[in-house]
Amino acid sequence: MSVNIEYVLAAFIAGTKAFLTVQRDFQLAGRWAGLYTYPDNHPQGWKTDGESDFTVYTETEDDKVKIHGEGHDKVGPFEFDGHVSSDDVKVYIKFLKHYHTHSWHYSGTIDQDTNVMHGMWGVRQEGGGGYFAFHLANKDDADVSAERNIAGNWSGSFHTTASSTTRGCHFELTSRTGKMDDQLTIVGTGKSEGDYKIKGVVSPSGQIIFAKIYNSSPHLYLYRGALSEGSDAMEGHWAGKGAFGTFDFKKD
């Protein structure tokens, strides 16, 4: 399901009062993949479960776009159901993720330009309060056969919105084909106010999502953005520890 330029959410369902103006095609139904992270104060000290993937199906009921589907991650198989809404600026998504023994609430937004959904899960639920970011894995039926050459040394800066501060950092990445053969898994190490590790995924169309996990502290941050056409630059947004901002990195 997609919405073209200057279409409104009524293209999904007749009669809706929520208008959605997008900059380019926006797709919801399909296979999504990405990461979720645990809160800093998780009792077991868990950071991230690595890759997670799921398939979204859409249907219309009254004046809402309803979603449901199924997926799998390190915890096990799951199903989910929820809905999508919008205003003239943002697309909002909420769903309940059901494992065999428990469920988690997810709430966030979907970037119209990159088809990345992001937000927080388990807010006000015991053991929850982490971040998530998922990209549309099969957008435009892109092919990853020409593997993106992102391995190597990277440097740049990240900006914190609330404090208006900018800090530099440097890291090294390696990549391999992920558990789904149409995306890459990336790992790396770096240094910026302490040593950290990187774990993430890259979609065929160049969306990049990774967790930045500090070694000597419980802090971790989730980065989401896009690679340049030549895979020698990346930019986007980050969130973690109650803060958020932007980043801009280039390959050395």
Side-chain angles (χ1 to χ4, degrees), residues 17-252:
K17 295 181 180 179
F19 290 93
L20 169 61
T21 302
V22 298
Q23 303 303 313
R24 62 178 188 174
D25 286 354
F26 166 73
Q27 185 176 335
L28 180 60
R31 185 163 56 83
W32 294 72
L35 303 175
Y36 62 90
T37 62
Y38 289 99
D40 286 347
N41 60 352
H42 192 276
Q44 278 75 45
W46 295 348
K47 303 295 186 180
T48 177
D49 280 334
E51 298 177 51
S52 178
D53 63 270
F54 54 92
T55 301
V56 174
Y57 305 96
T58 60
E59 60 180 288
T60 61
E61 182 176 298
D62 299 326
D63 59 349
K64 286 185 178 180
V65 178
K66 299 188 68 177
I67 63 170
H68 66 278
E70 68 281 329
H72 189 276
D73 56 32
K74 187 176 180 180
V75 176
F78 59 84
E79 297 180 346
F80 62 91
D81 57 82
H83 68 273
V84 174
S85 61
S86 65
D87 55 26
D88 57 353
V89 177
K90 292 184 178 181
V91 181
Y92 304 93
I93 185 166
K94 291 185 177 182
F95 60 90
L96 187 61
K97 182 180 182 183
H98 309 277
Y99 293 102
H100 179 65
T101 58
H102 60 287
S103 300
W104 293 108
H105 289 278
Y106 279 63
S107 179
T109 59
I110 303 177
D111 287 343
Q112 299 172 16
D113 289 336
T114 62
N115 266 107
V116 172
M117 69 170 73
H118 58 93
M120 296 190 71
W121 63 272
V123 176
R124 292 187 294 276
Q125 290 182 269
E126 185 177 355
Y131 293 88
F132 70 88
F134 304 115
H135 61 240
L136 186 65
N138 59 346
K139 179 173 173 56
D140 301 327
D141 294 322
D143 187 358
V144 78
S145 58
E147 188 170 297
R148 289 180 174 270
N149 184 25
I150 67 171
N153 294 311
W154 293 74
S155 58
S157 61
F158 59 95
H159 179 78
T160 303
T161 301
S163 61
S164 295
T165 56
T166 300
R167 294 181 173 87
C169 66
H170 176 84
F171 54 92
E172 183 178 5
L173 293 179
T174 60
S175 66
R176 60 177 174 80
T177 302
K179 69 177 183 179
M180 295 184 295
D181 58 11
D182 58 353
Q183 71 176 16
L184 298 179
T185 294
I186 58 173
V187 296
T189 57
K191 188 176 184 66
S192 175
E193 300 183 322
D195 297 332
Y196 58 85
K197 298 177 182 177
I198 290 174
K199 295 181 180 180
V201 292
V202 180
S203 75
S205 52
Q207 301 142 320
I208 185 167
I209 295 169
F210 62 87
K212 181 180 179 183
I213 307 165
Y214 279 87
N215 300 336
S216 59
S217 75
H219 306 320
L220 74 161
Y221 302 88
L222 192 59
Y223 282 64
R224 56 182 170 83
L227 288 166
S228 65
E229 185 174 349
S231 299
D232 57 357
M234 65 175 83
E235 61 181 18
H237 297 79
W238 64 268
K241 200 185 172 185
F244 58 90
T246 59
F247 68 88
D248 186 355
F249 303 132
K250 290 180 172 57
K251 196 173 180 182
D252 295 341

